[in-house]
Amino acid sequence: MAKLLFGSLAWFSFPSFADNKPLNSPVDYLSVLLSLVVVIALVFMLGYIMRRFNVTQQGGGQMKVVGSMALGTRERILVIQVGEEQHMLGVTAQNINHLAKLDSPLEVAQPSGDNFKDKLTQLMQGQKGKTHD
C-alpha cells in the first residue's frame, strides 16, 4: 500500500529521495523542511477555505437550517425547521440552548443556484451539449 502511495508521488520527489541515499548535506535537510512546511500550509489553507465558505454537509431530511447569525467568534443563533415547526437555538462552543418556538415561521429561501455544486452541475451539463469542431 505504501509503495503504491509513494510511487504515485514520484513526480514530486526530490533527488535525495529518488536515489534512496541518506541525507548528507544541509540542502537535503532544507528541502525536507520546506516540503513539510508546504504540506502543513496546505492543510491550514484548506481548513481556512472550508471554514470561510461554510462547507458543511447539508441534510435533505426532516431538519433544515433556515437561517443563522453570528453573535461572536463561537456564538450563533440558528433557526431550524423540523417538519412544519421552526425553533430558535442559541449555539456556543459548550452549549446548545432552545430559545423559542417561532409562532410565525420564517420563509425558507429556495436555492437560487448560487452555490458551487449547482454552478458546477450547470457547467457540466452545458459542456455535454456542446460538440467540439
Side-chain angles (χ1 to χ4, degrees):
M1 178 71 175
K3 199 176 217 183
L4 176 66
L5 176 65
F6 292 118
S8 65
L9 296 176
W11 62 272
F12 191 67
S13 64
F14 294 99
S16 62
F17 297 135
D19 300 336
N20 290 330
K21 294 180 182 177
L23 301 175
N24 292 327
S25 70
V27 174
D28 293 337
Y29 287 107
L30 183 63
S31 71
V32 170
L33 180 67
L34 289 176
S35 300
L36 291 173
V37 168
V38 167
V39 169
I40 291 171
L42 182 66
V43 167
F44 279 109
M45 183 181 68
L46 290 174
Y48 173 77
I49 289 172
M50 290 183 72
R51 176 175 268 194
R52 175 80 172 122
F53 293 109
N54 196 17
V55 178
T56 58
Q57 194 167 4
Q58 298 290 327
Q62 296 292 320
M63 290 189 351
K64 296 179 193 170
V65 176
V66 175
S68 70
M69 181 174 76
L71 299 176
T73 56
R74 295 186 177 194
E75 298 85 17
R76 299 182 79 74
I77 291 181
L78 297 173
V79 176
I80 63 167
Q81 181 166 342
V82 181
E84 297 296 319
E85 298 179 347
Q86 289 185 351
H87 298 272
M88 185 179 296
L89 305 176
V91 179
T92 66
Q94 295 85 18
N95 252 342
I96 298 175
N97 295 317
H98 183 265
L99 302 176
K101 178 183 174 204
L102 300 180
D103 294 331
S104 56
L106 301 175
E107 289 185 29
V108 179
Q110 298 297 323
S112 61
D114 290 340
N115 64 10
F116 179 75
K117 179 182 170 187
D118 293 338
K119 287 182 179 181
L120 181 63
T121 304
Q122 290 174 355
L123 180 67
M124 290 175 68
Q125 289 174 348
Q127 293 292 334
K128 287 180 185 177
K130 293 181 181 178
T131 59
H132 298 290
D133 293 328

